[in-house]
Amino acid sequence: MTTTLLDTTRGIVEFTYKGVGPALLLLKGGHSTRNTDLSHSSLVYEGFSLLTVSRPGYDYTEPSTGRTPEEFAETIVEILDHLNIESVSVIAISAAGPTGIALASSHPERVNKLLMEAALTSPWNKKTKQKAKILFGPAERIVWGSLRTLLKFFPDLIMKQLLSEMTTEDVDAYLERLSPNDRRFIYDMLSTSQSGKGFTNDLEHTVPDMNRLEVPVLGMYSQKDRSVPYTNALLLKSSVPDCEIFEVDADSHLIWIGKDAQEVWKKRLEFLSQS
């Protein structure tokens, strides 16, 4: 995939921009790299142009481009200006939730609508932050390198270990129910993951005031998500005037696979296509 590096006032940002049609801005979640695809790249075949911006600390995007969601929102506006994009619909995934909220609330004239996919609307809890800082701080390269090596030889073991953080279900039963395609999805997601300096930055994010959101918002969440609990959906619904919550019948944080995956795709397209 051809990527572009833009020297903004806050530093270097990496992005890709492809397709023809109404512009979508994709903000990926924690640990996701330029190579991590949770199905969103297919949106270009649905008549959209897709701008995928690597968040601060991920890929070649420098942490200085946005220590806070509000700062990175300003950097994103620079990218939109550079590309002569008047407005976008925003898809914010998981840890990118606060950035999506910041952009839509501070620049409603540049955002048509906001789609929150299993996205954070509340701060990380203290225990999760402490654990994540140990695993994905200075040692993150070694951690991910070791996990990728083990994934090749013991895929079930590594999938089980990481999925236990994403599901409230019995993880063995969850693994057994996965289709071959779903297993491939998880394998590819893990094999392309890298935290860089991005995830430790994510952990310090505070959530902007959601009451300021004026654009239409759709939140898609699962009741069985351990990493982004369903309380995030309830908070979003109670804070935003124009908000719909689509409850996904998924067994984990990974709302893009499983029995409801096609409904998620249809709901996303329906929301993004509405004028």
Side-chain angles (χ1 to χ4, degrees), residues 68-200:
T68 66
E70 291 86 353
E71 284 180 7
F72 195 56
E74 300 307 313
T75 301
I76 290 170
V77 170
E78 277 195 56
I79 299 168
L80 298 181
D81 289 344
H82 171 75
L83 295 171
N84 294 314
I85 299 174
E86 191 174 320
S87 63
V88 292
S89 293
V90 179
I91 303 172
I93 300 170
S94 195
T99 304
I101 294 166
L103 180 63
S105 59
S106 59
H107 293 280
E109 77 285 355
R110 307 303 292 267
V111 176
N112 302 319
K113 53 189 69 174
L114 173 61
L115 175 51
M116 301 278 281
E117 300 193 6
L120 277 170
T121 62
S122 59
W124 303 86
N125 69 57
K126 192 175 179 182
K127 188 178 176 184
T128 300
K129 282 177 70 170
Q130 288 173 337
K131 184 178 177 182
K133 282 180 180 178
I134 294 169
L135 281 174
F136 305 114
E140 64 87 26
R141 252 179 211 288
I142 297 167
V143 170
W144 280 113
S146 303
L147 284 173
R148 275 192 289 273
T149 300
L150 289 168
L151 186 64
K152 291 177 184 175
F153 298 103
F154 309 104
D156 278 15
L157 178 68
I158 299 305
M159 284 189 199
K160 179 180 175 180
Q161 186 178 337
L162 293 173
L163 287 173
S164 65
E165 301 293 327
M166 297 183 184
T167 181
T168 59
E169 296 282 275
D170 177 80
V171 71
D172 289 305
Y174 176 45
L175 264 175
E176 269 189 38
R177 288 195 298 271
L178 291 173
S179 70
N181 282 343
D182 289 346
R183 292 176 71 89
R184 170 51 63 181
F185 179 100
I186 296 170
Y187 186 95
D188 289 346
M189 180 189 75
L190 295 177
S191 63
T192 59
S193 292
Q194 189 75 49
S195 307
K197 294 178 180 175
F199 196 64
T200 51

Side-chain angles (χ1 to χ4, degrees), residues 116-123 125 165-168 210 218-239 243-253 255 260:
M116 301 278 281
E117 300 193 6
L120 277 170
T121 62
S122 59
N125 69 57
E165 301 293 327
M166 297 183 184
T167 181
T168 59
M210 291 186 287
L218 171 64
M220 299 201 289
Y221 293 85
S222 166
Q223 290 263 19
K224 298 175 182 176
D225 187 341
R226 183 186 292 277
S227 51
V228 178
Y230 198 73
T231 48
N232 286 267
L234 301 177
L235 185 58
L236 184 66
K237 178 65 176 174
S238 64
S239 304
C243 177
E244 178 188 357
I245 298 298
F246 178 68
E247 186 178 324
V248 183
D249 188 11
D251 291 331
S252 75
H253 181 59
I255 63 171
D260 229 16

Side-chain angles (χ1 to χ4, degrees), residues 194-211:
Q194 189 75 49
S195 307
K197 294 178 180 175
F199 196 64
T200 51
N201 189 50
D202 291 346
L203 293 170
E204 300 305 321
H205 285 176
T206 55
V207 181
D209 182 4
M210 291 186 287
N211 291 294

Side-chain angles (χ1 to χ4, degrees), residues 23-54:
L24 304 178
L25 168 64
L26 176 64
L27 299 169
K28 297 181 184 179
H31 315 296
S32 295
T33 68
R34 67 178 73 86
N35 297 316
T36 307
D37 181 17
L38 304 180
S39 74
H40 299 85
S41 64
S42 296
L43 286 164
V44 296
Y45 304 113
E46 300 288 345
F48 296 99
S49 55
L50 186 64
L51 170 62
T52 306
V53 179
S54 296

Side-chain angles (χ1 to χ4, degrees), residues 14-29:
E14 177 178 324
F15 68 85
T16 62
Y17 187 42
K18 57 184 181 178
V20 178
L24 304 178
L25 168 64
L26 176 64
L27 299 169
K28 297 181 184 179

